[in-house]
Amino acid sequence: MAVQQSFELDRGSCDDDGHPLRTGTLWSCVAHIITAVIGAGVLSLAWSTSQLGWIGGPVSLLCFAVVTYISSFLLADCYRSPDSVTGKRNHSYIDAVRVNLGRKHTWVCGLLQYLSMYGAGIAYVITTANSMRAIQRSNCFHEKGHQAPCSYGDSLYMLIFGALQIVVSQIPDFHNMTWLSIIAAIMSFAYAFIGFGLGFAKVIENGTIQGSITGVPTTNMANKLWLVFQALGDIAFAYPYSIILLEIQDTLKSPPAENKTMKKASVIAIFVTTFFYLCCGCFGYAAFGNETPGNLLTGFGFFEPYWLIDFANACIILHLVGGYQIYSQPVFAVIERWFSGKFPDSGFVNNFYSIKLPLLPVLQLNPLRLCFRTAYVVSTTGIAMLFPYFNQVLGVLGALNFWPLAIYFPVEMYFVQKKIAAWTRKWIVLRTFSFICFLVTVVGLIGSIEGLISAKIS
């Protein structure tokens, strides 16, 4: 074991900010986005569509796609300041807020951003455990029949996933995990396509399209409103990736300008994800109607072929291994940068140790990284074990993330970046857009919190 000291890179191998040359491309960017977007949220879209009905469901999915594209378009231009092509780089979302909006906004943004990323980690622990359990239940149903009492807990599976993430979390940063994002993106395509295919096959088998214009009926209007609000929160969780957009953009090489590559990648990724979302949401609802499960592949609307259900859930698990890292790496980076700046002479914080294990490349371990990232994973796993409620947790996280991080800050930074004067046409349009999205966040948060409280009580 040897201590590795830092060394200065040749200027020719560095970008304009002294960072090692970025090598990200359009397609690596698309892979990162798809890994971040097609995640736990896609599995709840059939349930969301069932609550909103045949008009409200598809229209909501399309509207959120448009909103996500507008948000990514505005935010991509904030990567460099003051000029979006030649200005100084903002390496993260919070850096862009600090430069464009000032210190107070930075504190609020940082709190919400890292809370959302932390929450996404919790949601992914819950989803992965559901998928692990679903594999065991699928095999049980296949062997003992569909009426067999195949009940299993979540805690053991959450602990297994947490142990795996402790290891995977030692990947240094975003720039070293392109391979993981590519694998995760392939897995997301696989299980989204299987969910769509099974839903389509079920519709053919039924010979009719289930569902109605108004969605699942309830005993009273209040319950219907809660469920509609929660469904909007779930869709809001499924789409936006603004909280990590600039971190992804910071991996891109130039030329061409990073904002141009990011906008192209966003168009491709949002088109692909919207197609799969509509297919999974609509065909899932068409297949099961009022009985649509909260999680399309683990709620056991589908029983056979059991091996395909197992394979789809295995794909979900592999995808969420990468998805967890996509949302955790920015948190790791900001905490570790803070400690490094605060304690520049600390060996615990700054020294790296080389460890060679059989059949593996040399591992670079840092004591702070090992301790902090392990504690982070343990905490997300522990909270997931306390609140293992899939749809409700997704709805709360989606509502918290949607307006402030996906809409408000990008719009405000765009005003500063492009020097948009008050009460001009563009200012009025974007302000109206922001206000409408704020209302969606409020109703989504209310419905999801009510659902979470009800699930905990029951």
Side-chain angles (χ1 to χ4, degrees):
M1 187 186 301
V3 180
Q4 177 184 343
Q5 301 296 330
S6 61
F7 58 89
E8 185 176 357
L9 295 169
D10 295 334
R11 291 188 176 183
S13 63
C14 294
D15 272 326
D16 53 1
D17 60 346
H19 187 283
L21 281 175
R22 292 163 174 83
T23 58
T25 65
L26 172 67
W27 297 110
S28 71
C29 185
V30 170
H32 283 316
I33 294 172
I34 290 175
T35 300
V37 177
I38 301 183
V42 68
L43 304 173
S44 70
L45 294 181
W47 180 86
S48 298
T49 303
S50 75
Q51 303 305 320
L52 296 167
W54 272 121
I55 294 178
V59 168
S60 296
L61 289 168
L62 290 173
C63 287
F64 274 94
V66 172
V67 168
T68 302
Y69 174 70
I70 294 172
S71 170
S72 64
F73 181 92
L74 298 176
L75 199 53
D77 283 338
C78 297
Y79 174 62
R80 289 181 180 268
S81 300
D83 180 79
S84 60
V85 177
T86 61
K88 183 180 178 182
R89 298 173 188 265
N90 296 312
H91 302 291
S92 65
Y93 190 105
I94 200 167
D95 287 342
V97 172
R98 182 183 301 111
V99 169
N100 289 287
L101 300 179
R103 186 175 180 84
K104 290 183 179 179
H105 282 82
T106 303
W107 280 104
V108 176
C109 171
L111 176 63
L112 290 173
Q113 183 187 13
Y114 297 122
L115 180 63
S116 293
M117 290 179 178
Y118 186 77
I122 296 170
Y124 281 11
V125 174
I126 296 171
T127 310
T128 306
N130 285 347
S131 293
M132 290 179 177
R133 182 181 61 179
I135 293 174
Q136 191 170 3
R137 291 182 69 198
S138 174
N139 294 335
C140 175
F141 287 137
H142 179 71
E143 293 175 3
K144 300 179 181 179
H146 298 170
Q147 304 306 317
C150 299
S151 298
Y152 303 96
D154 290 311
S155 298
L156 175 62
Y157 305 114
M158 291 183 183
L159 291 173
I160 292 171
F161 183 72
L164 176 62
Q165 285 299 337
I166 288 174
V167 177
V168 179
S169 291
Q170 298 309 307
I171 294 174
D173 53 35
F174 252 131
H175 304 279
N176 291 276
M177 59 175 291
T178 298
W179 61 273
L180 184 59
S181 284
I182 292 172
I183 293 173
I186 293 171
M187 294 298 102
S188 65
F189 279 128
Y191 71 73
F193 187 78
I194 290 170
F196 154 56
L198 288 172
F200 182 77
K202 185 73 172 178
V203 172
I204 300 299
E205 179 187 330
N206 293 340
T208 183
I209 294 176
Q210 304 287 331
S212 65
I213 297 297
T214 57
V216 178
T218 57
T219 54
N220 58 65
M221 183 58 68
N223 287 340
K224 181 65 177 178
L225 283 176
W226 294 135
L227 292 171
V228 166
F229 292 169
Q230 186 180 323
L232 291 174
D234 282 4
I235 298 174
F237 178 85
Y239 265 111
Y241 54 96
S242 55
I243 57 175
I244 57 169
L245 183 145
L246 292 181
E247 282 84 351
I248 294 173
Q249 194 166 338
D250 192 44
T251 68
L252 297 175
K253 64 181 179 181
S254 62
E258 299 89 355
N259 61 335
K260 292 183 179 179
T261 303
M262 176 54 75
K263 290 175 183 178
K264 289 180 182 178
S266 294
V267 171
I268 295 170
I270 292 171
F271 177 82
V272 171
T273 55
T274 301
F275 171 78
F276 278 106
Y277 281 8
L278 285 169
C279 288
C280 289
C282 294
F283 278 104
Y285 182 38
F288 298 108
N290 294 342
E291 303 302 319
T292 302
N295 184 320
L296 189 60
L297 289 175
T298 66
F300 283 91
F302 301 117
F303 292 96
E304 300 290 346
Y306 81 99
W307 60 267
L308 188 60
I309 306 300
D310 288 354
F311 177 73
N313 280 292
C315 290
I316 294 170
I317 294 166
L318 288 174
H319 170 255
L320 295 184
V321 171
Y324 186 99
Q325 289 303 309
I326 285 283
Y327 283 100
S328 299
Q329 286 290 344
V331 182
F332 298 159
V334 73
I335 296 297
E336 288 163 11
R337 278 201 304 267
W338 183 87
F339 271 103
S340 183
K342 190 74 172 178
F343 306 102
D345 300 321
S346 170
F348 179 82
V349 172
N350 298 296
N351 285 350
F352 286 81
Y353 299 86
S354 299
I355 299 178
K356 182 69 176 75
L357 298 176
L359 304 178
L360 292 175
V362 176
L363 301 178
Q364 302 291 335
L365 293 182
N366 169 261
L368 171 66
R369 178 186 295 170
L370 182 63
C371 294
F372 168 69
R373 297 187 182 192
T374 298
Y376 181 93
V377 173
V378 169
S379 66
T380 57
T381 304
I383 294 176
M385 293 171 69
L386 289 175
F387 296 96
Y389 310 114
F390 179 74
N391 292 90
Q392 295 86 348
V393 169
L394 295 195
V396 170
L397 295 173
L400 281 174
N401 174 39
F402 180 61
W403 179 72
L405 297 176
I407 308 300
Y408 174 75
F409 286 118
V411 167
E412 296 300 317
M413 287 191 289
Y414 185 79
F415 286 157
V416 173
Q417 189 90 356
K418 300 298 183 181
K419 298 180 174 60
I420 306 296
W423 302 108
T424 59
R425 180 181 299 177
K426 184 175 287 188
W427 186 92
I428 293 172
V429 168
L430 288 175
R431 280 274 187 243
T432 304
F433 166 73
S434 180
F435 179 72
I436 293 172
C437 292
F438 171 73
L439 295 180
V440 172
T441 281
V442 170
V443 299
L445 186 60
I446 291 171
S448 299
I449 290 176
E450 192 278 338
L452 188 61
I453 293 171
S454 299
K456 187 66 175 175
I457 291 174
S458 61

